[in-house]
């Protein structure tokens, strides 16, 4: 297989998208948005799943709100490349982790540029990043369909796989 064509299909999940400070030493969100906007073959996504202090940090909300609206070279905005949830379980060692998901959902719905952007961030972008969007013929989707067919005969899989 030709490496150039393989790399154009690669999606990168920049987990831990957020930092602990706005424009401070621990903030790397703007750098990730810059990577998302670079022309080239990698599709870079950022995941909000483990940004411990984000739900209660208004300054971080405002920073991310501005970044989500930033246009990307080649079309779309950063809201098309930010997702929530792939590593939230790492917070299980943090006090109050049980409320994190609900708080994140509420904040994302409030700061996203539009309702469709919020829906992308809260699920659609992750499905696209991992090749699991409805109608996908990716190897990831094929593996999941095969798994469900083998282990749950007659099942088409969870609803998100079939809608």
């Amino acid at each position: 297989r030709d490496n150039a064509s393989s790399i154009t299909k690669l999606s990168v999940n920049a987990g831990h998208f957020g930092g602990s400070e706005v424009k401070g030493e621990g903030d790397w969100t703007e750098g990730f948005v810059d990577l998302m906007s670079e022309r080239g073959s990698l599709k870079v996504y950022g995941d909000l799943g483990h940004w411990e202090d984000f739900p209660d940090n208004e300054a971080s909300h405002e920073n991310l709100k501005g970044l989500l609206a930033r246009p990307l070279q080649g079309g779309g905005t950063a809201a098309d490349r930010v997702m929530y949830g792939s590593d939230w379980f790492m917070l299980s060692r943090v006090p109050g982790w049980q409320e994190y998901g609900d708080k994140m959902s509420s904040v994302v719905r409030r700061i996203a540029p539009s309702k469709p952007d919020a829906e992308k961030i809260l699920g659609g972008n992750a499905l696209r990043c991992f090749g699991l969007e409805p109608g996908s013929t990716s190897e990831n989707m094929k593996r999941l369909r095969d798994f469900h067919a083998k282990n749950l005969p007659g099942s088409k899989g969870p609803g998100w796989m079939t809608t």
Side-chain angles (χ1 to χ4, degrees):
R1 208 183 237 189
D2 153 10
N3 286 340
S5 66
S6 295
I7 208 154
T8 60
K9 296 176 184 175
L10 184 63
S11 292
V12 176
N13 175 10
H16 306 278
F17 179 64
S20 58
E21 301 171 24
V22 175
K23 302 284 186 198
E25 208 172 292
D27 179 43
W28 46 81
T29 53
E30 193 160 342
F32 280 143
V33 173
D34 291 342
L35 284 174
M36 291 172 188
S37 191
E38 285 184 13
R39 286 209 182 267
S41 50
L42 294 179
K43 291 178 231 57
V44 177
Y45 291 80
D47 193 323
L48 299 170
H50 187 259
W51 190 348
E52 183 178 334
D53 69 339
F54 181 80
D56 300 313
N57 186 322
E58 193 61 42
S60 291
H61 301 175
E62 289 305 310
N63 184 46
L64 182 59
K65 182 178 182 177
L67 291 173
L68 289 174
R70 186 187 290 177
L72 301 178
Q73 291 185 31
T77 65
D80 295 315
R81 296 284 188 85
V82 172
M83 58 184 162
Y84 164 68
S86 72
D87 65 354
W88 69 270
F89 63 89
M90 293 179 67
L91 287 170
S92 63
R93 299 174 6 160
V94 176
W97 66 270
Q98 299 91 332
E99 290 85 35
Y100 186 81
D102 289 337
K103 286 181 175 183
M104 284 298 289
S105 176
S106 176
V107 170
V108 166
R109 290 180 192 287
R110 181 172 53 83
I111 68 168
S114 68
K115 184 176 180 176
D117 285 330
E119 296 305 316
K120 286 187 273 187
I121 293 166
L122 294 172
N125 290 341
L127 294 176
R128 193 163 28 102
C129 175
F130 299 118
L132 301 173
E133 67 270 53
S136 174
T137 58
S138 74
E139 287 300 313
N140 286 345
M141 184 63 95
K142 182 180 180 324
R143 280 192 296 275
L144 280 175
R145 285 192 179 113
D146 290 349
F147 172 85
H148 284 281
K150 177 181 175 186
N151 295 292
L152 300 165
S155 168
K156 293 182 181 179
W160 64 264
M161 284 178 60
T162 59
T163 57

